[in-house]
Amino acid sequence: MADALILDKPRSPRRPSARRSNFELYSWLFMRISGLALIILVLGHLFIMNILDGGVHRINWGFVAGRWASPFWQFWDLAMLWLAEIHGGNGLRTIIDDYARKDSTRFWLKIVLYVSMVLILAVGTMVIFTFDPEMPAS
């Protein structure tokens, strides 16, 4: 009867309490806050780009150039890019931690994830800040 009350060891080993950090708590909190911010940013973006003043038919080089000539819209798009990338990357990091069984697989998947995140953020940020609205459309 005593054998029936013994529980199996958990899948993930417990770390000593001295080494524990609050990273996962902050990660969880970031996902909730960034999700709310993304709802506002993305719905605003969709409303402005697809519904107002003729919708997608008016989007061309001149529209983008006029929009990105304003620091407000540059910041809006930059915030949307950074929050979406970090929010999605954090979600994928959690999925990798949950489903990758081997430490080496987990390591390499996270390396690929982090490198791709840095590249996308760097290219997207560079495009937003180096976009020349005075350049003629081809």
Side-chain angles (χ1 to χ4, degrees):
M1 192 65 159
D3 290 335
L5 299 176
I6 296 174
L7 298 175
D8 288 336
K9 292 181 180 177
R11 277 182 56 188
S12 59
R14 295 188 184 264
R15 294 188 291 171
S17 61
R19 292 184 56 213
R20 283 198 182 151
S21 71
N22 287 332
F23 176 76
E24 290 300 329
L25 172 66
Y26 297 138
S27 174
W28 180 87
L29 192 61
F30 170 78
M31 291 296 276
R32 274 56 188 177
I33 294 169
S34 66
L36 289 173
L38 279 168
I39 288 172
I40 294 166
L41 290 170
V42 170
L43 288 179
H45 175 82
L46 290 173
F47 181 74
I48 291 164
M49 299 299 275
N50 297 327
I51 296 173
L52 284 184
D53 298 330
V56 296
H57 302 293
R58 68 178 157 76
I59 299 174
N60 57 22
W61 174 269
F63 177 78
V64 174
R67 185 171 171 182
W68 278 358
S70 164
F72 175 80
W73 291 117
Q74 284 181 329
F75 176 77
W76 183 287
D77 288 346
L78 185 71
M80 194 167 46
L81 168 72
W82 275 76
L83 281 175
E85 183 68 32
I86 296 171
H87 183 94
N90 190 31
L92 283 174
R93 179 195 58 81
T94 304
I95 290 170
I96 289 169
D97 282 342
D98 286 347
Y99 290 103
R101 294 183 187 265
K102 292 168 90 184
D103 287 339
S104 60
T105 304
R106 189 177 303 116
F107 172 79
W108 287 110
L109 286 173
K110 284 184 179 180
I111 291 295
V112 169
L113 172 65
Y114 297 148
V115 167
S116 66
M117 286 176 64
V118 168
L119 287 174
I120 290 170
L121 285 173
V123 170
T125 302
M126 184 185 72
V127 167
I128 290 173
F129 283 125
T130 62
F131 183 78
D132 182 12
E134 301 299 320
M135 190 166 91
S138 55

